[in-house]
């Protein structure tokens, strides 16, 4: 696959590449990753920059004790390595793992650094993306520090239900393991189990074959709880 072919498949790429230095149109590599692939690992040297053209991924922070914390999920168009390079650091600070098949256009770190020196339009797009991630991370981190676990988990389930179109489907199943919920919500597994039991006792979720389920009536009940909790703080 060439850059021109990929741009035809993903027209949004044109806005990112339209002022790219001509010499870089012959100095790139395109890679396609299957789901569940580690694209880059925390604390590894970074000598490349990537533009994610297709596919979703998650950004995670891994700790020496084996715990994993999911920082965010991202959709294209996005980047690989931009924060490390713009910060002037040698090693990556996070791990990126694909959630779906993902297509990435790679350039060398040196080419990227020269590119953003010449192309203010592209630099602005990269900076906007970084700023958006920082804004979202700060906003969500505040919620996790301020609100109790049952609020965080209920909010997560409600958002998942909305994404699965519960208004149309009437009932949804959250097909996540306890470990995945811990990574995405930042709630320890022990606390998570207690929180799930509390939400079940409150009548906003059910448990079916070990999985969290929510019907439309529970969804509307949960929305009222969240709304009341936020307004009462």
């Amino acid at each position: 696959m060439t850059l021109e072919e990929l741009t035809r498949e993903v027209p949004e790429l044109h806005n990112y590449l339209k002022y790219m230095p001509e010499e870089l149109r012959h100095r790139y590599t395109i890679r396609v990753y299957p789901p569940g692939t580690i694209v880059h690992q925390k604390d590894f040297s970074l000598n490349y920059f990537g533009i994610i053209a297709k596919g979703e991924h998650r950004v995670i922070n891994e700790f020496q004790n084996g715990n994993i914390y999911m920082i965010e999920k991202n959709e294209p168009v996005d980047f690989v390595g931009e924060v490390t390079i713009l910060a002037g650091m040698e090693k990556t600070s996070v791990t990126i793992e694909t959630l779906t098949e993902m297509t990435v256009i790679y350039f060398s770190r040196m080419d990227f650094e020269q590119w953003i020196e010449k192309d203010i339009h592209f630099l602005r797009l990269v900076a906007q993306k970084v700023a958006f991630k920082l804004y979202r991370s700060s906003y969500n981190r505040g919620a996790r520090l301020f609100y109790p676990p049952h609020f965080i988990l209920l909010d997560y389930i409600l958002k998942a239900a909305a994404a699965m179109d519960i208004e149309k489907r009437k009932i949804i199943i959250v097909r996540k393991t306890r470990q995945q919920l811990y990574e995405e919500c930042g709630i320890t597994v022990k606390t998570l189990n207690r929180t799930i039991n509390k939400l079940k006792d409150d009548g906003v979720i059910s448990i079916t074959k070990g999985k969290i389920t929510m019907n439309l009536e529970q969804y509307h009940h949960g929305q009222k709880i969240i709304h009341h909790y936020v307004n009462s703080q």
Side-chain angles (χ1 to χ4, degrees):
M1 180 183 295
T2 66
L3 194 58
E4 290 74 19
E5 291 171 337
L6 187 57
T7 303
R8 284 196 292 269
E9 287 186 28
V10 187
E12 188 181 352
L13 279 174
H14 177 73
N15 189 37
Y16 293 84
L17 305 178
K18 61 182 177 180
Y19 300 122
M20 182 175 69
E22 193 62 32
E23 61 270 21
L24 297 191
R25 296 188 181 276
H26 308 286
R27 294 208 299 258
Y28 67 86
T29 302
I30 296 177
R31 292 193 60 183
V32 179
Y33 298 94
T37 302
I38 299 298
V39 175
H40 78 200
Q41 192 85 35
K42 179 182 177 182
D43 287 329
F44 275 55
S45 294
L46 185 77
N47 57 11
Y48 56 82
F49 164 79
I51 300 176
I52 300 171
K54 299 165 67 175
E56 300 177 4
H57 68 278
R58 67 174 188 158
V59 180
I60 58 179
N61 205 339
E62 302 173 284
F63 300 96
Q64 291 182 349
N65 61 6
N67 287 335
I68 294 176
Y69 175 76
M70 192 188 83
I71 299 172
E72 61 192 11
K73 290 181 182 178
N74 293 316
E75 300 176 349
V77 172
D78 203 2
F79 308 114
V80 176
E82 79 283 12
V83 173
T84 299
I85 297 173
L86 290 176
M89 305 302 290
E90 177 189 351
K91 296 181 179 180
T92 57
S93 59
V94 295
T95 295
I96 292 180
E97 179 184 20
T98 62
L99 295 172
T100 64
E101 183 177 271
M102 193 168 83
T103 303
V104 185
I105 312 163
Y106 283 110
F107 302 88
S108 73
R109 179 169 181 157
M110 181 179 296
D111 280 345
F112 170 71
E113 290 172 339
Q114 293 176 352
W115 183 0
I116 59 176
E117 284 183 4
K118 299 176 181 178
D119 185 352
I120 299 301
H121 173 74
F122 182 61
L123 175 60
R124 180 173 174 270
L125 292 176
V126 174
Q128 278 185 327
K129 184 70 72 171
V130 172
F132 173 75
K133 291 178 183 179
L134 288 173
Y135 176 88
R136 182 176 58 186
S137 178
S138 298
Y139 188 91
N140 292 335
R141 183 181 297 274
R144 288 176 175 177
L145 291 173
F146 182 73
Y147 292 118
H150 67 270
F151 174 93
I152 295 170
L153 182 58
L154 178 57
D155 185 58
Y156 174 91
I157 296 170
L158 290 172
K159 288 176 180 175
M164 288 185 272
D165 198 8
I166 192 172
E167 294 283 357
K168 181 178 180 180
R169 297 174 60 180
K170 309 302 181 186
I171 186 169
I172 59 94
I173 302 174
V174 180
R175 300 187 184 278
K176 299 283 187 177
T177 65
R178 297 294 191 270
Q179 180 65 26
Q180 288 173 318
L181 289 173
Y182 152 65
E183 292 174 10
E184 297 188 22
C185 297
I187 304 171
T188 65
V189 174
K190 184 177 179 180
T191 302
L192 187 62
N193 289 329
R194 291 200 305 266
T195 304
I196 290 172
N197 288 332
K198 183 180 188 324
L199 293 180
K200 182 175 178 291
D201 292 340
D202 289 344
V204 289
I205 65 168
S206 301
I207 303 296
T208 305
K209 295 182 179 180
K211 296 296 183 183
I212 296 171
T213 64
M214 175 178 276
N215 60 37
L216 191 55
E217 182 180 353
Q218 291 170 326
Y219 176 71
H220 291 153
H221 181 39
Q223 286 181 314
K224 291 177 182 177
I225 291 175
I226 288 288
H227 180 74
H228 174 75
Y229 196 92
V230 171
N231 289 339
S232 65
Q233 298 304 301

